[in-house]
Amino acid sequence: MLAADGVGNIHLTSPVVTPAAIGRLAALNEQIALSVVVDHPGNARALGAVEGLTVFIDLDPGSHRTGVTSAEAAVALARAIAATGTLKLGGVQYYCGSHQHIRSLAERRAAIVERTDYLRGVLGALADAGFAIPVVTGGGTGTFAIDASLGVFTELQVGSYIFLDREYLDCELAGPDFEPALFVDATVVSANTPGMVTIDAGLKAFATDAGVPVVLGGAPEGTRYAFTGDEHGALLGDGLPGLGARVTLMPPHCDPTVNLYDLYHVLDGDMVTGSWPVTARGRST
């Protein structure tokens, strides 16, 4: 979907392993500058059918989601990539996803310093084995300033900063101040219980993996939100808005919330200036 909309340089951060998906990868590799991660010699051999594909060794930072789990495994994988005779080793990927939301900046920094020392060791082992690593990609919104100061990454995978969400605002972010830019508007559809009104935004309106959204506008400061069903949510507090009132909320987790909608309404202040389609909605396979 990104390539169809004109993006000409794309890095896929998750392994591509099925024959059908590798076939699609091969077709895309003929159209744009494409790279993909690999974390298993068997996958490297399968990807070797895609002539000239650039691959990155995916390193496990300790979360055991994807990635090789040792320096020795990284070297063995680099040798498997070289043995294909068709793949290009573009670098390594090291995404410490579980570290992005450590709330304390000091604790997050200490954790990233320790993990970066491990990364240096893996890069050293690859260099000793004769493998040049031109690109080291990783990091994220929660650690970008720390990662940049440590000087190991050549590319930072920072994305959520453009929207922010409640999860990131709960953290002590280092560096520039960011502001939330992704909102969901809802309407009060029932107001019969003292201290509570119901709005038309529930489980289908927000990602639910990171707690509840934050009420930003249309209700008194301190108003709380609670999920009450698929279509409904509750606002709790004093001086709540009445029937038909508009309320603005900030999602708890921006990425999967975006995937629930067909388009963005673009705002400049209070003025709607356009609409952008979410072209990749539902395209996760």
Side-chain angles (χ1 to χ4, degrees):
M1 299 306 296
L2 291 172
D5 274 355
V7 178
N9 191 327
I10 294 174
H11 173 61
L12 299 178
T13 61
S14 183
V16 176
V17 301
T18 67
I22 291 173
R24 293 167 59 196
L25 197 71
L28 191 59
N29 191 53
E30 295 178 357
Q31 302 171 30
I32 64 169
L34 182 66
S35 61
V36 63
V37 298
V38 60
D39 71 357
H40 193 281
N43 188 209
R45 289 189 288 271
L47 291 172
V50 186
E51 182 76 33
L53 178 65
T54 297
V55 296
F56 280 65
I57 295 172
D58 191 17
L59 305 180
D60 176 14
S63 60
H64 306 314
R65 181 170 62 182
T66 65
V68 295
T69 57
S70 69
E72 294 78 12
V75 171
L77 181 55
R79 289 175 176 150
I81 292 168
T84 67
T86 55
L87 299 177
K88 301 176 184 176
L89 179 56
V92 302
Q93 174 177 279
Y94 191 64
Y95 178 62
C96 297
S98 62
H99 296 75
Q100 300 303 314
H101 295 101
I102 297 175
R103 292 199 176 193
S104 163
L105 177 58
E107 293 178 7
R108 198 178 329 127
R109 179 181 294 277
I112 289 298
V113 167
E114 186 274 330
R115 287 290 79 196
T116 303
D117 285 343
Y118 171 73
L119 172 60
R120 287 192 182 95
V122 176
L123 294 173
L126 287 165
D128 291 344
F131 294 102
I133 303 299
V135 176
V136 181
T137 183
T141 296
T143 65
F144 76 95
I146 303 167
D147 293 320
S149 71
L150 296 175
V152 178
F153 286 104
T154 65
E155 177 185 83
L156 295 177
Q157 295 181 6
V158 185
S160 295
Y161 76 94
I162 198 169
F163 287 143
L164 281 193
D165 52 31
R166 202 225 64 244
E167 275 195 301
Y168 273 118
L169 289 184
D170 286 346
C171 297
E172 299 174 15
L173 291 181
D177 292 329
F178 299 122
E179 296 181 0
L182 183 70
F183 313 106
V184 173
D185 279 355
T187 301
V188 176
V189 295
S190 182
N192 294 319
T193 303
M196 170 183 164
V197 298
T198 297
I199 60 175
D200 58 354
L203 296 169
K204 292 180 179 179
F206 302 99
T208 60
D209 62 312
V212 296
V214 177
V215 180
L216 293 181
E221 185 176 353
T223 299
R224 305 180 310 281
Y225 176 94
F227 288 109
T228 58
D230 292 348
E231 284 81 20
H232 299 128
L235 300 185
L236 308 171
D238 299 320
L240 295 171
L243 200 65
R246 177 72 58 84
V247 181
T248 299
L249 304 102
M250 177 175 59
H253 189 183
C254 59
D255 312 44
T257 297
V258 167
N259 194 51
L260 299 173
Y261 292 89
D262 290 328
L263 51 82
Y264 305 101
H265 296 292
V266 184
L267 296 175
D268 183 359
D270 293 329
M271 182 69 66
V272 176
T273 60
S275 295
W276 297 345
V278 183
T279 53
R281 181 187 179 190
R283 302 286 184 145
S284 57
T285 59

